[in-house]
Amino acid sequence: MSATATITMSALPSKSTIKLAPAQSHAEASSSQAQNQPPKSQKQMTKAERREQQERQRAAKAATKAAGPQPSGSNQNSAQVKKGAPPAASTSASVKKGGKGPDGKPTKDTKETTSDDSARGLRIFSHFGLPKPPGPSKGDIHPAIIRLGLQFSEFKIVGANARCIATLTAFKTVIQDYVTPPNNTLSRHLLTHLSPQITHLVSARPMSVTMGNAIRELKLEISGSDIDLPEQDAKNLLCQKIDDYISERITIADQVIQETAGTKIKDGDVILTYARSSVVEQVLVGAWDDGKQFSVVVVDSRPMLEGKKLLSVLSAMGIPCTYLLLPSIGSVITEVSTVLVGAHSLHSNGAVFSRAGTALVAMMAKQHSVPVVVCCETYKFAETIQLDSFTKNELAPAGDIFSSFPLTRSKDTLTLNKQLNLEILNPLYDLTPPSSITAVVTEVGVIPPSSISSIPLALGRTTL
């Protein structure tokens, strides 16, 4: 005779009465006795029992997640799921884990997980500096620094020289507006005051080598300032030191490089340059003003398209120019006499860190026995050794933000943006190996890549 059970639910959802018929099988009676016993502690359980309990708890959690938030009237059912862990719970758990439902087809949850993973982007490039507006200011940030941070993040100020000059000019304003607190000295407290200003600029865009060298020099001048000087005189002296640094290490250095590199340009030469370097621009304009007749090939690439600015300056001077994009360089490299490029930084192993695409131009020129000359100031020298452009780099903004040609459609419709299964990656710099470089023109002379580490000694100091 089969056992029968009558279940009567009361009106309240949290209470239920279960009445069992007298005819019970021996297995049911023993199971009910096991349920009435107090639960065993972890020490009393065997290893198999503990594993079984853990599996039931995992299945119950997975079922609760899959079901989502439940109304208050279903507390009874959720309690039963946690206690008994019915087969449906294990099924939903297997769907969540394995990504397949009972019919063997991928479930919706699996697709959503996959799309979330792809939306995270390429994790291997996650350490690259991203262009982003600076966050909320921490500490007393000067308005000039806030404005400069926004210009950096929006790429309104680009180029190693321009960024360094803008940073030092902003620090001059900060120093002039600074007031030493009571019971403090300017040489000690001003360094503390400058720290949040520097941090704010770095949060807007990673610090360049030129900015780092200039800030290090400024801190040395501040720490060595005379404590007996009146405050205003000390501030004026620091501002004068900043002006001297800009004049000697950038302005005058560029003039010397212009004269030295200009002697390498002869009548009838075809000069190829990549993107836009302010030093290379001065060299070409100076050589044309000296009466030399030559032509220029401007190679450019997306998304910055900086070569357009150089092209407009050179063509306005009357210099014959040819403009092409980087993939087409193979068609003109055989007609080129010399390659002139700029640099973002110069490393002690002779490698040049410059705008992405420079390495390709230099390697193509070496393949066709065309000399590659790098124009670079010595204050861009870094005592580190860099072997690739992966360990440290920066991401350029997506889209042609500097495009100036007439558009028949809005720029938003022509710009390639991130999508569900598309990640835009624009590394800003690449590393040109010293084997692809013929010479580096600096204000201390023309140096082969193998002797780059001697630059500090040429300046009469042990370090920069």
Side-chain angles (χ1 to χ4, degrees), residues 209-356:
V209 172
T210 56
M211 289 170 57
N213 289 338
I215 291 172
R216 194 178 303 113
E217 188 75 20
L218 176 61
K219 286 183 175 180
L220 286 175
E221 294 292 345
I222 293 174
S223 60
S225 59
D226 189 358
I227 59 175
D228 296 328
L229 273 178
E231 181 176 326
Q232 189 57 46
D233 291 346
K235 292 194 291 187
N236 291 339
L237 183 60
L238 288 175
C239 291
Q240 183 61 45
K241 294 284 187 182
I242 292 175
D243 291 336
D244 292 343
Y245 185 89
I246 295 174
S247 175
E248 294 174 6
R249 304 304 299 275
I250 303 177
T251 308
I252 297 178
D254 287 350
Q255 294 174 0
V256 175
I257 292 172
Q258 172 190 333
E259 295 173 1
T260 306
T263 59
K264 309 299 179 185
I265 300 177
K266 309 297 181 183
D267 287 339
D269 280 355
V270 178
I271 308 299
L272 185 143
T273 185
Y274 176 70
R276 178 182 179 267
S277 168
S278 58
V279 190
V280 173
E281 180 180 315
Q282 292 182 36
V283 170
L284 296 175
V285 171
W288 186 262
D289 289 338
D290 291 342
K292 297 181 179 179
Q293 300 296 317
F294 59 91
S295 59
V296 178
V297 177
V298 179
V299 183
D300 208 357
S301 69
R302 299 178 183 273
M304 303 288 281
L305 294 175
E306 295 172 292
K308 291 183 178 181
K309 292 184 178 179
L310 176 64
L311 183 68
S312 62
V313 172
L314 298 181
S315 57
M317 294 285 299
I319 302 176
C321 297
T322 303
Y323 180 83
L324 52 91
L325 293 179
L326 186 60
S328 306
I329 188 175
S331 59
V332 298
I333 193 66
T334 54
E335 308 298 327
V336 173
S337 308
T338 308
V339 173
L340 283 180
V341 292
H344 174 79
S345 62
L346 194 61
H347 295 267
S348 57
N349 62 333
V352 172
F353 200 57
S354 189
R355 189 69 78 223

Side-chain angles (χ1 to χ4, degrees), residues 132-143 145-146 191-204:
K132 58 184 182 301
S137 303
K138 295 181 181 179
D140 186 15
I141 308 299
H142 195 278
I145 300 296
I146 296 176
L191 292 174
T192 308
H193 181 67
L194 286 180
S195 294
Q197 323 291 330
I198 299 170
T199 304
H200 185 80
L201 292 179
V202 173
S203 68

Side-chain angles (χ1 to χ4, degrees), residues 39 90 100 106 112 133 229 259 327 332 363 377 398 448 456:
S90 62
K100 292 184 179 179
E112 289 178 356
L229 273 178
E259 295 173 1
V332 298
M363 292 175 186
E377 304 89 341

